[in-house]
């Protein structure tokens, strides 16, 4: 197994039909994707134990012969040989040679342009930004004087392509504040004010709950007052429990004394 899940790979720039293997055949869609960088998403084995790969950005199945590590330098010579074979119908070639006298200037220029495009087709990979933004000037109606007020509209686009937009008057514009507000709109599905009001209401309910007595439901101005009141409830409950136990014990003693008295009277009558 040449690659594993998560590896960055490049589809061979010189991919052709000779790189087919087993039950996997190079098709036209694969050839059109030559040179593209992608990531291994799934690795499986065929019935002969040969590795097969699925890429994140391509729906086809690939094998070890069709892919190379993304870090491997691109061999421009292979692509150049292929272009020269195609343009000049050369059966084989060892290196890039100067055109012969029978080849026209137009054909030579086409080959040079293709080679130039290929050598610049793979720029250095840049780390994707979490978001980018752009600003656009505009106007809005001024109802006071039937005129127009200049505005600035900030649009933020995240890595997935999701957008959010906010607009303010040009005199109040701040680039950083505009980006922050646009990101807030994006996080709240384009309705930050509604979500903010809901969060404020929820926080007020939580804060009100923190100042409400759990025993009697009374609301206090501060948490300290609430704690003192709840401590009073606890002490009061303990005192009531103690009084209940005392009354219960007094009844038990009275019952025992009454029973002893009745027993003595019955013994006296028997004598």
């Amino acid at each position: 197994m040449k690659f594993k899940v998560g590896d960055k790979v490049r589809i061979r720039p010189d991919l052709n039909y000779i790189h087919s293997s087993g039950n996997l055949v190079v098709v036209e869609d694969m050839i059109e994707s030559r040179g593209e960088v992608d990531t291994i998403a799934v690795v499986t084995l065929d019935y002969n134990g040969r590795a097969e790969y699925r890429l994140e950005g391509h729906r086809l199945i690939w094998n070890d012969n069709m892919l190379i590590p993304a870090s491997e330098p691109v061999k421009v010579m292979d692509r150049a040989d292929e272009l020269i074979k195609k343009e000049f119908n050369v059966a084989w070639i060892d290196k890039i040679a100067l055109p012969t006298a029978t080849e026209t200037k137009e054909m030579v220029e086409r080959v040079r342009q293709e080679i130039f495009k290929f050598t610049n087709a793979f720029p250095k990979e840049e780390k994707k930004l979490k978001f980018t933004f752009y600003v656009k000037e505009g106007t809005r109606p001024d109802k006071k004087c039937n005129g127009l007020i200049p505005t600035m509209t900030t649009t933020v686009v995240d890595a997935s392509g999701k957008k959010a937009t906010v607009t303010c008057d040009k005199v109040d514009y701040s680039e950083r504040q505009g980006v922050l507000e646009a990101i807030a709109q994006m996080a709240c599905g384009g309705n930050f004010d509604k979500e903010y009001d809901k969060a404020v209401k929820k926080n007020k309910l939580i804060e009100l709950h923190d100042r409400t007595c759990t025993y009697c439901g009374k609301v206090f101005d501060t948490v300290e007052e609430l704690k003192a009141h709840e401590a009073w409830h606890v002490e009061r409950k303990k005192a009531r429990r103690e009084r209940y136990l005392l009354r219960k014990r007094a009844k038990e003693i009275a019952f025992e004394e009454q029973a002893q008295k009745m027993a003595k009277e019955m013994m006296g009558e028997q004598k």
Side-chain angles (χ1 to χ4, degrees), residues 15 17 25-34 60:
L15 183 68
Y17 299 105
V25 179
V26 176
V27 297
E28 190 66 27
D29 289 347
M30 291 179 171
I31 293 178
E32 291 178 358
S33 302
R34 288 184 296 189
L60 301 169

Coordinates of all heavy atoms in Angstrom, one line a residue, residues 15 17 25-34 60:
L15 N -0.1 10.7 -16.9 CA -1.1 9.6 -16.9 C -1.6 9.2 -18.2 O -2.0 10.1 -19.0 CB -2.2 10.0 -15.9 CG -3.3 8.9 -15.7 CD1 -2.7 7.7 -14.9 CD2 -4.5 9.5 -15.0
Y17 N -3.0 5.4 -20.7 CA -3.7 4.1 -20.6 C -2.8 3.0 -20.1 O -3.2 1.9 -19.6 CB -4.3 3.7 -21.9 CG -5.4 4.7 -22.3 CD1 -5.1 5.7 -23.3 CD2 -6.6 4.8 -21.7 CE1 -6.1 6.6 -23.7 CE2 -7.6 5.8 -22.0 CZ -7.3 6.7 -23.0 OH -8.2 7.6 -23.4
V25 N -9.1 0.8 -15.0 CA -8.7 1.3 -16.3 C -8.7 2.8 -16.3 O -9.5 3.4 -15.7 CB -9.7 0.7 -17.4 CG1 -9.2 1.2 -18.8 CG2 -9.7 -0.8 -17.4
V26 N -7.7 3.4 -16.9 CA -7.6 4.8 -17.1 C -8.6 5.3 -18.1 O -8.7 4.8 -19.2 CB -6.2 5.3 -17.5 CG1 -6.1 6.8 -17.8 CG2 -5.1 4.9 -16.5
V27 N -9.5 6.2 -17.6 CA -10.6 6.7 -18.5 C -10.3 8.2 -18.8 O -9.4 8.8 -18.3 CB -11.9 6.5 -17.8 CG1 -12.2 5.1 -17.6 CG2 -12.0 7.3 -16.5
E28 N -11.1 8.7 -19.7 CA -10.9 10.1 -20.2 C -11.0 11.1 -19.1 O -10.2 12.1 -19.1 CB -11.9 10.4 -21.3 CG -11.7 11.7 -22.0 CD -10.4 11.6 -22.9 OE1 -10.0 10.5 -23.3 OE2 -9.8 12.7 -23.1
D29 N -11.9 10.9 -18.1 CA -12.0 11.8 -17.0 C -10.7 11.9 -16.2 O -10.4 12.9 -15.7 CB -13.2 11.5 -16.1 CG -14.5 11.7 -16.8 OD1 -14.5 12.4 -17.8 OD2 -15.6 11.2 -16.3
M30 N -10.1 10.7 -16.1 CA -8.8 10.7 -15.3 C -7.7 11.5 -16.0 O -7.0 12.3 -15.4 CB -8.4 9.3 -15.1 CG -9.2 8.4 -14.2 SD -8.6 6.8 -14.1 CE -9.6 6.1 -12.7
I31 N -7.7 11.3 -17.4 CA -6.6 12.0 -18.1 C -6.9 13.5 -18.1 O -5.9 14.3 -18.0 CB -6.7 11.5 -19.6 CG1 -6.2 10.1 -19.6 CG2 -5.8 12.4 -20.5 CD1 -6.2 9.4 -21.0
E32 N -8.1 14.0 -18.0 CA -8.4 15.4 -18.0 C -8.0 16.0 -16.6 O -7.8 17.2 -16.5 CB -9.9 15.7 -18.2 CG -10.3 15.4 -19.6 CD -11.8 15.6 -19.8 OE1 -12.5 15.9 -18.8 OE2 -12.3 15.4 -20.9
S33 N -7.8 15.2 -15.6 CA -7.5 15.6 -14.2 C -6.0 15.5 -14.0 O -5.5 15.7 -12.8 CB -8.2 14.8 -13.2 OG -9.6 15.0 -13.4
R34 N -5.2 15.2 -15.0 CA -3.7 15.0 -14.8 C -3.1 16.2 -14.1 O -3.4 17.4 -14.5 CB -3.0 14.7 -16.1 CG -3.3 13.4 -16.7 CD -2.6 13.1 -17.9 NE -3.0 13.9 -19.0 CZ -2.6 13.8 -20.3 NH1 -1.8 12.7 -20.6 NH2 -3.0 14.6 -21.2
L60 N -13.8 8.9 -9.0 CA -13.3 7.7 -9.6 C -12.4 6.9 -8.6 O -12.0 7.5 -7.6 CB -12.5 8.0 -10.9 CG -13.3 8.7 -12.0 CD1 -12.4 9.2 -13.1 CD2 -14.4 7.7 -12.5

